[in-house]
Amino acid sequence: MSDVAFGDPRLPPRFWSKVRVDESGCWIWTAHVDRGGYGQFRGTGAVCRAHVLPISLKHPKPDPSMTASHLCHVRECVNPAHLAWESMRDNVKRSKDLITHCPKRHEYTNANTGIHLRGWRYCRTCHRANAKVRREWRQLQTRSTDSQQQSPSE
């Protein structure tokens, strides 16, 4: 339909307060992101992916089977110039090998990429960090349980 400029009044000021422009021209969503790394925005009560709102202003969704795809390959980007409507099949085919970083922005290198038994890859940096958090949580739980089981000495 029409171009969407940064700060477009058709989106609420609360939306724009959660966006910053980076050096590559991406409009980076700085608020909540889901587990997949996509920005989330609560508009009129319903939570939606933040990048869908600006592209919907530029081009209405042509078909229910279409998805808003990031041509820049940055999941937090909400710049409609970096987005296009396409089928999920085309999106996956186009981007599968082009994703070079995990959702936490760690680069997928040979040293930092693990392959799960089921075939999908994972970031070893994130995997180690998550394992450390789980280990610390278990230790804390064990200490808590041990201190509760000990009877006070008289």
Side-chain angles (χ1 to χ4, degrees):
M1 286 285 198
S2 63
D3 285 339
V4 179
F6 187 85
D8 189 306
R10 292 177 289 174
L11 290 172
R14 196 169 67 78
F15 177 89
W16 294 113
S17 70
K18 301 170 187 317
V19 180
R20 71 169 170 79
V21 180
D22 77 2
E23 62 280 352
S24 67
C26 287
W27 299 353
I28 302 297
W29 185 255
T30 61
H32 179 74
V33 294
D34 64 16
R35 293 179 93 183
Y38 295 97
Q40 301 247 290
F41 181 71
R42 182 180 299 274
T44 56
V47 175
C48 67
R49 287 197 165 163
H51 65 285
V52 173
L53 298 173
I55 192 175
S56 297
L57 294 178
K58 186 174 181 179
H59 303 289
K61 192 171 186 176
D63 183 312
S65 67
M66 302 300 247
T67 185
S69 301
H70 291 89
L71 303 176
C72 60
H73 306 291
V74 178
R75 293 179 180 181
E76 302 95 338
C77 182
V78 297
N79 184 343
H82 295 187
L83 301 165
W85 292 113
E86 63 184 4
S87 70
M88 184 60 78
R89 181 180 185 168
D90 289 343
N91 182 15
V92 170
K93 188 167 83 174
R94 179 182 53 76
S95 63
K96 185 175 182 182
D97 293 329
L98 297 175
I99 297 174
T100 60
H101 292 74
C102 78
K104 298 284 187 184
R105 309 291 278 227
H106 302 122
E107 187 174 9
Y108 284 125
T109 62
N110 286 340
N112 191 42
T113 304
I115 305 297
H116 189 273
L117 292 173
R118 293 191 174 163
W120 45 267
R121 67 183 176 177
Y122 62 90
C123 171
R124 287 186 170 147
T125 302
C126 290
H127 185 75
R128 280 191 298 271
N130 291 337
K132 182 180 178 187
V133 168
R134 284 191 304 273
R135 196 169 41 255
E136 289 171 353
W137 185 83
R138 280 194 299 267
Q139 288 172 351
L140 184 64
Q141 294 299 314
T142 302
R143 280 188 221 133
S144 174
T145 304
D146 289 347
S147 65
Q148 290 174 0
Q149 290 177 354
Q150 292 177 353
S151 59
S153 58
E154 296 180 19

